[in-house]
Amino acid sequence: MEAEAFGGPSASTTGKSLDEILAEFVMPEIPEPAILRRSVPILHHFIREVVPDLDGGEPLRALARTLMEDEIERHRELLGRLQGGTGI
């Protein structure tokens, strides 16, 4: 009832408990983990080959590098959790 008071779905309407919803948010199901492994070299390629040629000045290039490096780190962390058995 509390979830409905806030306009959100309750476990009875979604069929999932709050714990299940939180678990999916924290550790989403990845149907093909190999996608994460393949994405890291692609992101590295963009950092080396594409970002240096971006128009918009050094602040934009620095931002693009930082975003891609953060994404690489997230992918590696997620892969580590998946391989460690704490994931799906």
Side-chain angles (χ1 to χ4, degrees):
M1 285 295 190
E2 263 184 35
E4 290 172 2
F6 290 106
S10 67
S12 62
T13 60
T14 65
K16 296 180 183 179
S17 70
L18 181 57
D19 287 340
E20 290 170 325
I21 293 168
L22 285 173
E24 286 177 8
F25 178 75
V26 172
M27 189 62 181
E29 185 174 333
I30 300 171
E32 184 56 46
I35 292 170
L36 293 175
R37 283 187 288 277
R38 290 190 302 257
S39 68
V40 170
I42 292 169
L43 288 167
H44 276 298
H45 168 78
F46 272 88
I47 290 170
R48 282 190 320 272
E49 304 295 329
V50 176
V51 171
D53 296 329
L54 283 178
D55 293 335
E58 186 53 33
L60 177 65
R61 289 188 289 273
L63 176 62
R65 270 191 305 274
T66 299
L67 290 172
M68 289 184 196
E69 288 167 352
D70 288 351
E71 191 63 22
I72 289 168
E73 185 59 35
R74 277 191 287 276
H75 286 209
R76 287 182 175 157
E77 181 183 315
L78 187 53
L79 276 169
R81 289 192 297 176
L82 289 170
Q83 292 169 352
T86 59
I88 307 170

